[in-house]
Amino acid sequence: MQAAVPATHTEIRLARRPTGPLGPEHFRQVRVPVPDPGPGGVLVRNRMMAVTSVMRTLMEESSPLPIPEFRVGETMMAPTVGEVITPGDSGLRPGQLVLHHAGWREWAVPEPDDVQPLNTASLPDPAAHLSQSFASWVAVVRGAEVRPGDTVFVSGAAGGVGVMAGQFARLHGAGRVIGSVGSQAKADFVVRELGYDAAVLRNAGEGTFEERLRAAAPDGIDAVVDNVGGEQLGAAVRVARHGARISVFGTLAEQGGGSALTEIDTGLLIGKGIVLRGTLVFDHTDVIPDFEAALGKGLEDGSLAFPHNRFTGVEEAPRALRELLAGKLSGSVLVEL
Ligand SMILES: NC(=O)c1ccc[n+]([C@@H]2O[C@H](COP(=O)([O-])OP(=O)(O)OC[C@H]3O[C@@H](n4cnc5c(N)ncnc54)[C@H](OP(=O)(O)O)[C@@H]3O)[C@@H](O)[C@H]2O)c1
């Protein structure tokens, strides 16, 4: 049965821009009237939203990303799955599940060109549509061009992108898969549960990060999915083998409160014929059908896992983002609304 439309609902707004770690003071929870779809608009009951580290970047004054920053005083945005209540002129059916970006709220009237019906035929689990899996697929297939027999390094291996990137690298024939993580518990998790061959601690252990990475990949690295930047990207360039492909994909070093700036000896790039490629997921939507088919099949036959955390209630979303950025969670982070 469809949800009755209440008079009011809860939204989370950006209260102030952060300059350091996130706290409760950066968010404001408000109770406001449920939006009116007006003539022809689509009213959606949001069911689940994704919380991702890029939101920390979008809370700042200006970001280099091709996504609008959040505005102070306005409700934040997030990839969200919802159920159509009033289809308006959209051609959708009441009860149909859709993907849009008007998250951080219980009810939404998304922009008409932002509403896509969920392809539940090839990927039946709505939660999987909110994973970072598509980004991981792009990083592996297009950014790092993983090939059979490659030794692959995934930085930020326990994050939403990293947990899938290691599995997708293996699916594309990787011979050895190495990840970087922030704790021994996460190292054990990616090796035992996700099939990584080795995990390097980013902030602990013998010697420098580069020495630890070299010990895990004594013959060098052929392909890199770099979610972190900074010291880890610099080390990956130095440990890379001739002809390596390095996908520069994320800036977790900065989103975690530090810096993703990297000093790279360009002579090494030339001498080793390394491809250093900034990779943006939006440039590769042509591979969505391949990706959805592969993930749907892998989840169904159990060859792929989708590790994720669930929080309940939109009022828990700020805590979910704070815990994610503090490194307390492994895998994707979803909030049931
Ligand atoms: N290029 C694109 O089109 C695209 C698309 C999607 C996402 N991205 C980017 O890809 C990156 C990974 O995304 P994600 O969703 O996997 O991230 P995520 O799940 O939010 O990753 C959070 C993890 O980052 C790690 N971390 C925190 N502070 C860190 C620091 N100072 N240095 C290194 N790691 C730190 C922590 O793990 P540990 O404690 O285990 O280190 C934490 O659990 C992000 O930068 C995101 O913006 C890019």
Side-chain angles (χ1 to χ4, degrees), residues 246-297:
I246 300 180
S247 177
V248 179
F249 202 70
T251 54
L252 286 171
E254 184 179 288
Q255 289 159 336
S259 167
L261 289 180
T262 309
E263 196 173 327
I264 288 174
D265 178 351
T266 52
L268 277 181
L269 299 180
I270 300 164
K272 295 202 265 186
I274 294 171
V275 174
L276 192 62
R277 180 184 284 131
T279 317
L280 183 65
V281 68
F282 309 121
D283 291 338
H284 301 277
T285 49
D286 58 301
V287 294
I288 287 177
D290 288 355
F291 152 73
E292 287 188 346
L295 180 61
K297 180 174 170 300

Side-chain angles (χ1 to χ4, degrees), residues 139 144 153-156 161 180 223-234 236 246-252 260 262 276:
F153 170 53
V154 178
S155 62
V161 171
S180 67
V224 178
V225 171
D226 179 47
N227 291 308
V228 171
E231 178 192 21
Q232 296 197 29
L233 175 57
I246 300 180
S247 177
V248 179
F249 202 70
T251 54
L252 286 171
T262 309
L276 192 62

Side-chain angles (χ1 to χ4, degrees), residues 22-328:
L22 291 186
E25 67 279 12
H26 297 112
F27 303 89
R28 191 155 71 88
Q29 181 178 321
V30 294
R31 191 86 193 157
V32 291
V34 166
D36 178 357
V42 187
L43 178 65
V44 174
R45 173 64 174 100
N46 286 341
R47 294 294 177 203
M48 194 180 288
M49 65 178 248
V51 168
T52 63
S53 51
V54 75
M55 291 167 183
R56 172 67 182 74
T57 306
L58 297 176
M59 289 171 81
E60 291 186 7
E61 184 78 54
S62 62
S63 98
L65 301 174
I67 315 173
E69 298 98 24
F70 302 144
R71 296 205 191 124
V72 174
E74 293 191 5
T75 304
M76 293 164 59
M77 304 292 281
T80 302
V81 168
E83 178 191 340
V84 172
I85 302 297
T86 310
D89 296 338
S90 65
L92 297 161
R93 294 185 316 279
Q96 195 168 358
L97 291 180
V98 291
L99 189 62
H100 64 85
H101 290 84
W104 294 85
R105 69 201 85 188
E106 294 169 318
W107 289 76
V109 176
E111 294 296 324
D113 60 1
D114 181 37
V115 185
Q116 289 170 41
L118 224 55
N119 175 4
T120 46
S122 52
L123 194 51
D125 180 2
H129 290 265
L130 293 175
S131 71
Q132 293 285 52
S133 304
F134 179 57
S136 315
W137 184 268
V138 167
V140 166
V141 172
R142 289 281 171 82
E145 291 181 68
V146 172
R147 298 171 190 162
D150 275 354
T151 294
V152 179
F153 170 53
V154 178
S155 62
V161 171
V163 292
M164 301 311 296
Q167 298 182 79
F168 291 153
R170 191 74 81 195
L171 196 68
H172 286 87
R176 181 165 171 77
V177 185
I178 299 155
S180 67
V181 293
S183 68
Q184 190 57 46
K186 288 185 177 184
D188 294 343
F189 169 69
V190 300
V191 170
R192 285 195 200 132
E193 307 291 330
L194 303 178
Y196 275 81
D197 294 291
V200 180
L201 296 184
R202 69 172 155 95
N203 43 9
E206 297 270 309
T208 62
F209 180 81
E210 179 181 339
E211 286 164 350
R212 297 196 291 279
L213 180 60
R214 219 176 265 286
D219 298 327
I221 294 167
D222 303 294
V224 178
V225 171
D226 179 47
N227 291 308
V228 171
E231 178 192 21
Q232 296 197 29
L233 175 57
V237 169
R238 291 188 291 277
V239 179
R241 263 210 287 245
H242 188 92
R245 289 86 53 204
I246 300 180
S247 177
V248 179
F249 202 70
T251 54
L252 286 171
E254 184 179 288
Q255 289 159 336
S259 167
L261 289 180
T262 309
E263 196 173 327
I264 288 174
D265 178 351
T266 52
L268 277 181
L269 299 180
I270 300 164
K272 295 202 265 186
I274 294 171
V275 174
L276 192 62
R277 180 184 284 131
T279 317
L280 183 65
V281 68
F282 309 121
D283 291 338
H284 301 277
T285 49
D286 58 301
V287 294
I288 287 177
D290 288 355
F291 152 73
E292 287 188 346
L295 180 61
K297 180 174 170 300
L299 292 179
E300 195 182 346
D301 68 19
S303 57
L304 292 174
F306 165 40
H308 61 283
N309 308 267
R310 287 189 192 224
F311 289 74
T312 305
V314 69
E315 57 284 351
E316 284 291 286
R319 184 168 72 87
L321 181 56
R322 281 165 37 219
E323 290 198 359
L324 172 67
L325 291 168
K328 293 185 180 167

